[in-house]
Amino acid sequence: MNAKVTVGIPFHKGSNSEHFRNAIDSILSQNLLPAQIHLIQDGPIPNDLDNIVKHYLTTYPLIKHELIPENLGLAHALNLSILKTTTEYYARMDADDIAHPERLKKQVDFLENYPEIDILGTWAIEFEGCPISGKGITRKPPVSQSHIYSMIHYQNPLIHPSVMLRRTIFAKIGLYDTSFRRDQDLELWGRAIRMKVGMTNIPEVLMYYRNTGVLKRRSDLKRVFNMAKIRYRYNTLSPQLNILKILTIIFPLMPIYIQNWGYKKFK
């Protein structure tokens, strides 16, 4: 067990019970266990999810149940967990993803060796169905900080559920903005970049990231508006980056077959 890490796993009434179990088990199977795992309940849940939580609470002392009585969204859930965290590092995890067994150890080792880095992601395999089927898209976000700082204008430079952060960074840049029900991670990265926070990705697949329904979620008009709002909070003089920024905002409004082609082609 590593006293330096807390893992937060938010879930809600729509979470798939089997996926939720797999996500929790992938953290319990780490070769470096965290000090605590927060199961963050965002609003009322059905009996199957409630029974899963009760099982893990009675079986594993390192698991804690954090309850939000009504559904307030991911940003609220994460902020609650972060504020109750006392460890040096805080690791993100979604309720339908699977962590590689060496994920936590490799991220902790990296942060211990590179104190100038405060936000650390990893590469991941995006999949639908079974993560070990061999089918999926390998996402390789950038390692170079300059590339991360430029990529944020047109694409998310970090895979949110793969991220581990130093807890102290939240005192510097603030918590997640609860006015954003989606893309709160991109908004947080933007604040971090404006304050020159050290960010990078481990160039190794340490997360299996479920992408079911991703294009439908990204086509939502409110989400497109919020994306534009987030990206224009930080600007650039680069004509190329400004063109890419505009295209990124327009892209979710295109026909789904074009989105599907572009998503596979450019991710």
Side-chain angles (χ1 to χ4, degrees):
M1 186 176 292
N2 190 288
K4 293 192 172 186
V5 187
T6 296
V7 178
I9 310 179
F11 67 103
H12 55 83
K13 66 180 181 181
S15 298
N16 179 290
S17 57
E18 181 182 356
H19 298 167
F20 188 36
R21 281 184 183 274
N22 290 339
I24 298 169
D25 288 343
S26 75
I27 297 299
L28 290 171
S29 301
Q30 293 288 300
N31 56 15
L32 180 68
L33 283 175
Q36 285 192 349
I37 300 171
H38 290 175
L39 302 183
I40 316 157
Q41 180 182 328
D42 187 17
I45 56 172
N47 288 336
D48 60 338
L49 289 175
D50 187 52
N51 289 335
I52 288 171
V53 173
K54 288 176 180 176
H55 163 73
Y56 283 104
L57 285 175
T58 57
T59 309
Y60 299 96
L62 78 166
I63 291 181
K64 308 299 178 185
H65 182 207
E66 305 296 346
L67 171 63
I68 302 173
E70 64 175 302
N71 180 267
L72 296 176
L74 180 60
H76 280 278
L78 293 176
N79 288 345
L80 171 68
S81 177
I82 290 163
L83 290 171
K84 292 194 174 186
T85 295
T86 58
T87 54
E88 186 172 349
Y89 306 123
Y90 184 82
R92 278 280 290 112
M93 182 72 186
D94 278 346
D96 58 354
D97 297 333
I98 296 173
H100 187 281
E102 295 187 335
R103 177 201 166 182
L104 296 183
K105 184 177 189 308
K106 290 195 173 186
Q107 287 187 293
V108 168
D109 288 347
F110 190 100
L111 291 171
E112 294 284 284
N113 290 322
Y114 296 93
E116 70 276 13
I117 298 299
D118 292 308
I119 302 176
L120 176 66
T122 76
W123 289 0
I125 292 178
E126 271 194 13
F127 72 96
E128 291 189 57
C130 177
I132 60 173
S133 66
K135 298 179 181 179
I137 302 170
T138 301
R139 288 184 58 186
K140 300 180 178 180
V143 173
S144 160
Q145 184 152 289
S146 61
H147 193 177
I148 289 173
Y149 280 20
S150 62
M151 179 182 266
I152 198 167
H153 292 285
Y154 59 91
Q155 193 171 316
N156 199 325
L158 297 162
I159 300 168
H160 195 198
S162 80
V163 165
M164 183 180 288
L165 312 94
R166 295 186 194 275
R167 184 174 57 88
T168 54
I169 197 62
F170 294 105
K172 182 177 181 180
I173 66 174
L175 294 167
Y176 286 89
D177 187 335
T178 56
S179 67
F180 289 93
R181 294 284 291 199
R182 295 176 181 168
D183 300 303
Q184 53 282 113
D185 55 324
L186 191 67
E187 193 279 333
L188 188 69
W189 312 153
R191 273 185 276 144
I193 286 172
R194 286 197 296 272
M195 301 189 75
K196 307 298 182 186
V197 168
M199 306 164 69
T200 190
N201 289 286
I202 295 177
E204 186 176 348
V205 171
L206 295 175
M207 176 68 69
Y208 299 91
Y209 177 56
R210 196 179 302 274
N211 67 359
T212 305
V214 64
L215 293 180
K216 183 178 179 180
R217 293 194 300 272
R218 293 181 181 185
S219 299
D220 179 77
L221 286 176
K222 185 174 181 180
R223 183 188 180 277
V224 173
F225 173 79
N226 281 339
M227 184 69 70
K229 182 179 177 182
I230 291 169
R231 287 212 155 96
Y232 279 100
R233 283 185 174 183
Y234 41 91
N235 295 305
T236 174
L237 297 176
S238 166
Q240 180 184 13
L241 291 177
N242 277 313
I243 290 171
L244 287 170
K245 183 183 291 191
I246 293 169
L247 290 174
T248 300
I249 294 167
I250 294 172
F251 184 73
L253 303 176
M254 293 182 176
I256 195 70
Y257 71 91
I258 295 178
Q259 291 187 53
N260 190 48
W261 171 82
Y263 190 79
K264 292 179 179 178
K265 180 76 173 176
F266 298 110
K267 281 291 183 181

